[in-house]
Amino acid sequence: MDIGVLTVPLGDESIEDAFAYLADLGVDAVEIGVGGFPGEDHVDRGEYLGNDATRAELDDLLGEYGLRVSALATHNNPLHPDEERADRADRELREAIELADELGVDTVTCFSGLPAGAPGDSTPNWVTAPWPTEHAEAHEYQWEEVAIPYWSDLADHADAHDVDVAIEMHPNMLVYEPTGMLRLREATTERLGANFDPSHLYWQGIDVTEAIRFLGEHDAIHHVHAKDTRVYESNARVKGVLDTESYTEEADRSWLFRSIGYGHDEGHWKDVVSTLRMVGYEGALSIEHEDSLTSSREGLEKAVDVLSRAVFETRPGDAYWAE
């Protein structure tokens, strides 16, 4: 397995400086933003698409620092009811897939998107309960009339470029937990799978290793984010975990994104890594830093430190003791 990093927190540095820093930490892979919320500080799609020279420069830089690209990232909402915003997100995603093909990268990470609750609405609607019944009807509309047709077509585009699409299960998106991920995959094609980010599952009360087993049974994990979350029970016991408090009001929140090891201990992360291996995942664990209690560099360094003791660097040997 590889220790990877989503390079967005280093966006104020040049790509060469970011690569040099990460290589010095012992990082093996990078996930690079090419649009949407991650932005494109290090790789501008427009400059790289169809441009042999810029792609060759990136290849040379990766080779110089001993890195590989685990995925290109473009997280946005291609199902947005605002047609202009949806079109922009769709274009970003399709061009990211095309660029991944040109670069020899096999995965693009993204969100599922979130539609409105009915035709003509102007705001995305995250439905989390089936009652009153108009919410159940809205949810079915989102799936059957918007999401499945869109993602079926997008999966065909990905297949034409031999690229997998890894969807991060995220609140305020249609796919935010494993059964929804599997529903979308089964309604479309196996090109769609999970960018398995446990941070959003922890606060929902989902058992992360059970979720890995569930999706792994269907070979539905295309990429993994290494990102932790801590639930602060003193707040959660009062207001639950559906928390709209600002992320920067840390003391008042029910949960916070944390650096690896600050939400769950090293033993837990060794269990996560072991369960990923059990289901056949041997790709990158791409660290996504969003811990507001520490700086990007310190958060990344502490995460790499924990994961360096958790990931397996070799393939399993023969089980000679079982013969």
Side-chain angles (χ1 to χ4, degrees):
M1 295 181 187
D2 291 334
I3 296 176
V5 167
L6 175 61
T7 66
V8 172
L10 306 174
D12 59 346
E13 305 178 24
S14 71
I15 189 170
E16 183 168 6
D17 286 348
F19 282 6
Y21 166 67
L22 294 173
D24 189 56
L25 287 183
V27 168
D28 308 298
V30 287
E31 180 185 0
I32 302 175
V34 295
F37 293 111
E40 47 189 2
D41 289 325
H42 290 144
V43 170
D44 184 320
R45 291 190 326 279
E47 292 183 6
Y48 280 76
L49 265 172
N51 189 327
D52 292 340
T54 53
R55 296 199 308 275
E57 289 174 5
L58 178 60
D59 283 340
D60 289 345
L61 203 57
L62 290 164
E64 179 179 352
Y65 292 105
L67 297 168
R68 72 176 184 88
V69 180
S70 66
L72 300 182
T74 174
H75 298 69
N76 210 329
N77 185 0
L79 308 183
H80 200 288
D82 183 306
E83 187 173 339
E84 183 177 343
R85 294 179 65 174
D87 287 348
R88 181 170 64 250
D90 175 62
R91 182 174 64 256
E92 290 168 348
L93 182 52
R94 289 177 186 273
E95 290 180 353
I97 289 167
E98 293 161 14
L99 180 57
D101 185 8
E102 292 181 0
L103 292 171
V105 175
D106 60 11
T107 306
V108 168
T109 59
C110 62
F111 292 144
S112 67
L114 182 66
D121 288 358
S122 60
T123 304
N125 188 340
W126 188 36
V127 179
T128 59
W131 187 90
T133 54
E134 61 261 32
H135 295 277
E137 293 165 0
H139 195 237
E140 202 61 15
Y141 159 78
Q142 291 176 318
W143 275 96
E144 298 299 328
E145 297 189 39
V146 183
I148 291 173
Y150 173 81
W151 283 105
S152 295
D153 184 66
L154 193 285
D156 289 342
H157 180 70
D159 192 56
H161 290 277
D162 198 23
V163 170
D164 287 334
V165 177
I167 293 173
E168 184 175 336
M169 297 170 284
H170 196 289
N172 284 317
M173 295 291 163
L174 187 63
V175 172
Y176 60 93
E177 47 76 33
T179 65
M181 181 69 255
L182 194 60
R183 176 179 178 178
L184 186 61
R185 179 178 169 88
E186 291 180 342
T188 56
T189 78
E190 294 182 355
R191 279 293 175 194
L192 304 186
N195 177 28
F196 190 93
D197 186 327
S199 66
H200 309 292
L201 307 184
Y202 289 129
W203 67 262
Q204 293 182 67
I206 294 170
D207 186 299
V208 163
T209 55
E210 289 294 329
I212 292 170
R213 288 177 181 272
F214 174 78
L215 290 172
E217 287 176 3
H218 302 276
D219 196 26
I221 299 176
H222 289 336
H223 193 258
V224 172
H225 270 179
K227 183 178 170 189
D228 213 339
T229 292
R230 172 71 184 272
V231 175
Y232 292 91
E233 295 293 347
S234 58
N235 290 330
R237 281 194 294 267
V238 174
K239 62 177 178 177
V241 294
L242 295 176
D243 195 341
T244 58
E245 191 68 54
S246 169
Y247 286 115
T248 58
E249 297 295 330
E250 292 91 351
D252 297 327
R253 283 190 54 80
S254 295
W255 56 269
L256 290 172
F257 296 131
R258 299 305 318 272
S259 300
I260 299 296
Y262 282 79
H264 296 78
D265 65 17
E266 186 172 315
H268 170 79
W269 281 97
K270 289 179 176 178
D271 197 18
V272 168
V273 167
S274 298
T275 308
L276 285 167
R277 171 156 281 186
M278 287 179 192
V279 302
Y281 182 80
E282 294 291 349
L285 277 72
S286 185
I287 298 165
E288 182 182 19
H289 172 82
E290 291 185 349
D291 187 339
S292 61
L293 294 179
T294 186
S295 67
S296 296
R297 282 196 170 222
E298 185 175 15
L300 290 174
E301 289 164 13
K302 290 185 182 299
V304 170
D305 177 57
V306 173
L307 288 181
S308 68
R309 293 188 296 275
V311 298
F312 296 111
E313 297 179 353
T314 62
R315 298 280 180 170
D318 294 331
Y320 58 86
W321 60 89
E323 295 176 355

